[in-house]
Amino acid sequence: MMGDPPRRRRLSDEEHVLWRGVMRSVAPLKRRAAAVAAPPDAAAADRKPKAKLSSAPPARAPAPAASPKPVRPAPTPRAQPPSMMPLDRRLKQRLARGAVEIDARIDLHGRTQSQAHSALLRFLQRAQAEGAKTALVITGKGGASARSSGEERGVLKRQVPLWLRLPEFRAYVLGVDDAHIGHGGEGALYVRVRRGRQRD
C-alpha cells in the first residue's frame, strides 16, 4: 500500500527573502530579433503590381514616306506648219494669159537633188522677203535627152512638188499647181508665195 504524497513545506521568512534575491539577480532571456526586414526598395517593388507581359509583337516604327517622283514637264507641242491651199482657178487662168505678172522664177535644170533643194529654199525665202506673190519653178520634163546626159531633171519633176509640201517649205508656200503650157506645162509649177510677217 502506497504511502501518501509528501506534503509541501512552507518556506520560512528567511527563505522567501533569499528567493526574491535570486530572482532579482537573474536576467530574463531576450526574444530573438525579428526577421531581418527586406530593403525598402525591394519591399516597395514587391508591393507594386507586376506589369503583365503582352503577347503582342512590338510596334514597328512607321516606314519613311516615299519621296515623290519628280514631275516631268509636259513636252511642248510642236507648232504645226501652216496649211496649204490650192491655187484659185481664176488666178491660174490669169497667170496663163499674162494678166497677172509672175513676180519671181527659178530654173532647176542641170542641178542635183541636193543642189536643187537648197537653191529652191533660198529662192522662196528671198521671194517672200521681197514681197513676191507668185513664182514659177521650172523642173524640166525629164525627157530622153535628160536621161542620156545623166541629169536629174526627171527626178526633180517628181521631187519638187513633194518638197514644196514639207514643213520647211510651208512657211513660204501658200499653194502649188501645174503651170500652163505657155510657162512650161508639166515641167514647171506655179507657186503662190505666202505673205511674210510684218516687221515693225
Side-chain angles (χ1 to χ4, degrees), residues 158-186:
R158 296 189 301 270
Q159 293 297 324
V160 170
L162 301 178
W163 293 346
L164 293 173
R165 288 170 172 79
L166 294 175
E168 58 185 313
F169 284 90
R170 296 261 288 274
Y172 312 103
V173 178
L174 184 61
V176 181
D177 208 336
D178 291 334
H180 187 266
I181 192 171
H183 290 130
E186 296 179 1

Side-chain angles (χ1 to χ4, degrees), residues 89-110:
R89 186 179 66 176
R90 184 178 178 184
L91 173 61
K92 187 175 178 180
Q93 289 175 348
R94 294 179 70 189
L95 285 169
R97 293 197 304 264
V100 174
E101 186 179 354
I102 295 174
D103 300 316
R105 65 183 65 210
I106 184 173
D107 190 346
L108 300 177
H109 277 132

Side-chain angles (χ1 to χ4, degrees), residues 4-172:
D4 295 332
R7 293 182 181 178
R8 290 183 180 180
R9 185 177 62 84
R10 294 187 64 180
L11 296 177
S12 63
D13 292 337
E14 292 178 2
E15 290 174 337
H16 275 292
V17 173
L18 182 59
W19 178 251
R20 283 195 294 269
V22 172
M23 291 296 294
R24 282 195 296 268
S25 64
V26 177
L29 295 175
K30 294 181 179 181
R31 293 183 179 180
R32 295 185 62 182
V36 179
D41 293 342
D46 290 340
R47 288 194 298 269
K48 289 183 180 178
K50 294 183 179 180
K52 294 182 179 179
L53 296 177
S54 175
S55 60
R60 294 183 179 178
S67 56
K69 294 182 179 180
V71 179
R72 294 183 178 179
T76 305
R78 294 183 179 180
Q80 295 295 325
S83 58
M84 292 179 63
M85 297 183 298
L87 263 67
D88 180 74
R89 186 179 66 176
R90 184 178 178 184
L91 173 61
K92 187 175 178 180
Q93 289 175 348
R94 294 179 70 189
L95 285 169
R97 293 197 304 264
V100 174
E101 186 179 354
I102 295 174
D103 300 316
R105 65 183 65 210
I106 184 173
D107 190 346
L108 300 177
H109 277 132
R111 302 175 191 255
T112 64
Q113 289 190 65
S114 177
Q115 293 170 345
H117 184 279
S118 57
L120 180 60
L121 186 58
R122 288 194 304 269
F123 164 75
L124 291 171
Q125 290 171 342
R126 185 171 61 253
Q128 186 186 72
E130 294 174 355
K133 294 181 180 179
T134 56
L136 181 67
V137 178
I138 301 171
T139 62
K141 297 180 182 180
S145 60
R147 289 193 296 271
S148 62
S149 62
E151 296 178 357
E152 297 194 46
R153 282 178 289 184
V155 177
L156 296 181
K157 178 186 176 184
R158 296 189 301 270
Q159 293 297 324
V160 170
L162 301 178
W163 293 346
L164 293 173
R165 288 170 172 79
L166 294 175
E168 58 185 313
F169 284 90
R170 296 261 288 274
Y172 312 103

